[in-house]
Amino acid sequence: MDNVIRRRTPGARLARAALYAVLIVAALFYLLPLLIMLLTSIKPLDEIGAGTLLALPENPTLEPWINAWGEACTGMRCEGVGGYFWNSFAIVIPAVAISTVVGALNGYALTKWRFRGSELLFALMLFGCFIPFQVVLLPMAQTLGWLGLSSSRAGLVLVHVVFGIAFTTLFFRNFYVAVPSELVSAAKLDGAGFFRIFWRILLPVSAPIIVVSVIWQFTQIWNDFLFGVAFSAHDTQPVTVALNNLVNTSTGVKEYNVDMAAAMIAALPTLVVYVLAGKYFVRGLTAGSVKG
Amino acid sequence: MSTSLSPERAARVPVKRSALAFLTDWIPRLVLAPSVAVSLFFVYGFMIWTFVLSLTNSRMLPSYDFVGFAQYAQLMANDRWWVAATNLVVFGGLFVGICLVLGALLAILLDQRIRQEGSLRTVYLYPMALSFIVTGVVWKWLLNPSLGLQAMVRGWGFEDFTFDWLVDPDMAVYTLVIAAVWQASGFVMALFLAGLRGIDDSIIKAAQLDGASLPRIYARVVMPCLRPVVFSAVMILSHIAIKSFDLVVALTGGGPGYASDLPATFMYTHAFTRAQIGLGSASAMLMLGGVLAILIPYLYSELRSRRHG
């Protein structure tokens, strides 16, 4: 719809102005919560009680951020969300790496080495993208117990890998379908094996889909709450769970500025990824947007 | 990259050929095997396992005393479940409907050769990068009657302005809609924009030459072309609605009381904090049923349209 014919009449100009006005109002709707969160996080507590949401801070302070990072109480403990922030990374990094590697190999095997039943196996795995995770919570808790992984970071990594593979396989399969199979057949005739072909032919062209898979998995796992709250203990909680505990702690004076600073801390990694690699983020969303 | 074989290599071929053929056949299967096993156990096995639990009288710990469909009967007689299920219909319907309208509208407006289109798109879509927990925390702050929007508007001089949905049992579920729409409507915009960009310009030009107005072109020519986009968006959004858990926990905690419970929070509360594993499992199975009810028609039509090109 780029080549619509336009006439430059006063009416058209008015319509144009209205168009921009609507778009800017919409932008405010999406931006204001973030702005208010930021403003609140650098206000001293007395200004929050006295002023309104949009009032600029008179004495801006980083105190709430420092407090949120290292001192604020999450449930029974008062050590901020900093440790949980690193917990999230300790869970996300191995889970993203493993699920991406497995997804790449699966996608490759499913497209370049088709065998009877491989489409069926793919369909079977794909179902993992669609189930509501409530249906696996109880058996998962018991299985993690059997494996000795209850409440551990390794247990959460396992859970995220298990339910992430369906997505990464989907990404890589759809990408590798479009890579010409002639290259692979020629290499097969030359006697190159499964892994050599992957390493020499598929991997060098895979950069875009690896980025999509990594960003998608990073965002999903970082933002996860359900698995985190069900399968972690104090020491191993991801930052989303810590944030929720902090905000819902009912003891003492409610420090809204600290809550907002903690929310910003929990949101920053995925926001940074979105700003730096938004294109790939959107591609991931539209390719596998069912993982709520 | 020559494929001709030297005499000595040719002599070895019969032996190597079978070994190679064996490997060629089996390496891909061996590579897929762990993932398939994982899916069978963790997805299908767990679904069956949860179903089995839903037929037992498990409470604090899983037990395997079968009671038939008694847990389902209990669920049907449970007020709190009906509140959660009704909330899902209200929340899901509004969430999907508003996201679709807002997303389509923004996409159409953005499609009018807008300056700074890229930055606007970035702004509309960024909430999707956030965790629902963060979204819940932020909106809990904005909707807090004594400090948030209500206080702000009152501070502007409208002393009687009231916007206390968050603490009103009848209205709390609508605050979930507001926050969820804020988070997901930009994503629907992106879907629609991609769909609009995929439409052949010549159809639109032809309609313009026939003298059709722009709104009319969108209503009669463009939107019908976007039916598949609408369909996908509805599927994805209803899926998000059924699974919504974090947003409820962070924004309303299911309250006041259990007025803004959804099936996902009902399931978690009963299975993990109220020692009602059997009942929780039954509710999880009903959620699965809900997802299947929207998924099966979707997959069916996807497969059919792919087959017909």
Side-chain angles (χ1 to χ4, degrees), chain A residues 4-221:
Chain A
V4 176
I5 305 158
R6 274 179 220 298
R7 300 168 198 84
R8 288 270 161 218
T9 61
R13 283 203 187 157
L14 198 67
R16 203 87 189 131
L19 173 65
Y20 276 97
V22 172
L23 287 171
I24 289 166
V25 168
L28 286 178
F29 167 67
Y30 293 103
L31 268 186
L32 275 180
L34 185 68
L35 186 69
I36 289 172
M37 180 162 55
L38 188 63
L39 282 178
T40 310
S41 76
I42 54 171
K43 278 183 200 171
L45 206 52
D46 55 337
E47 274 186 40
I48 292 176
T52 60
L53 283 183
L54 281 169
L56 292 174
E58 282 165 36
N59 304 299
T61 165
L62 283 180
E63 198 65 27
W65 282 71
I66 296 165
N67 200 333
W69 181 264
E71 294 156 34
C73 300
T74 56
M76 307 295 278
R77 300 195 185 184
C78 297
E79 50 198 19
V81 297
Y84 304 100
F85 185 83
W86 298 125
N87 267 349
S88 278
F89 272 110
I91 295 161
V92 166
I93 291 169
V96 170
I98 297 170
S99 59
T100 300
V101 170
V102 173
L105 287 171
N106 284 346
Y108 162 59
L110 284 167
T111 52
K112 301 302 172 208
W113 298 80
R114 286 172 200 237
F115 49 87
R116 204 140 58 91
S118 56
E119 285 293 298
L120 184 70
L121 288 186
F122 174 63
L124 196 121
M125 288 174 63
L126 201 57
F127 191 58
C129 299
F130 298 104
I131 53 168
F133 291 128
Q134 278 73 19
V135 95
V136 302
L137 283 183
L138 289 162
M140 195 75 200
Q142 195 146 29
T143 304
L144 288 177
W146 287 340
L147 295 172
L149 295 175
S150 293
S151 310
S152 71
R153 289 192 198 91
L156 274 178
V157 170
L158 175 78
V159 175
H160 286 300
V161 168
V162 161
F163 295 105
I165 285 176
F167 286 90
T168 56
T169 302
L170 173 71
F171 291 147
F172 281 97
R173 180 197 173 271
N174 290 351
F175 183 80
Y176 288 149
V177 157
V179 174
S181 289
E182 289 77 17
L183 290 173
V184 176
S185 324
K188 279 184 196 168
L189 283 177
D190 278 348
F194 182 86
F195 290 103
R196 184 198 287 257
I197 293 176
F198 179 66
W199 194 254
R200 291 287 173 79
I201 299 178
L202 272 300
L203 208 54
V205 299
S206 302
I209 197 64
I210 292 175
V211 176
V212 168
S213 169
V214 166
I215 289 178
W216 171 260
Q217 286 295 93
F218 179 86
T219 322
Q220 291 302 313
I221 301 172

Side-chain angles (χ1 to χ4, degrees), chain B residues 16 21 41 47 72 77 89 110 141 160 191 266 306:
Chain B
K16 279 200 82 168
F41 180 66
M47 272 162 40
Y72 293 86
V89 174
L110 265 188
W141 166 240
D160 296 331
L191 279 183
F266 178 96
R306 213 168 276 174

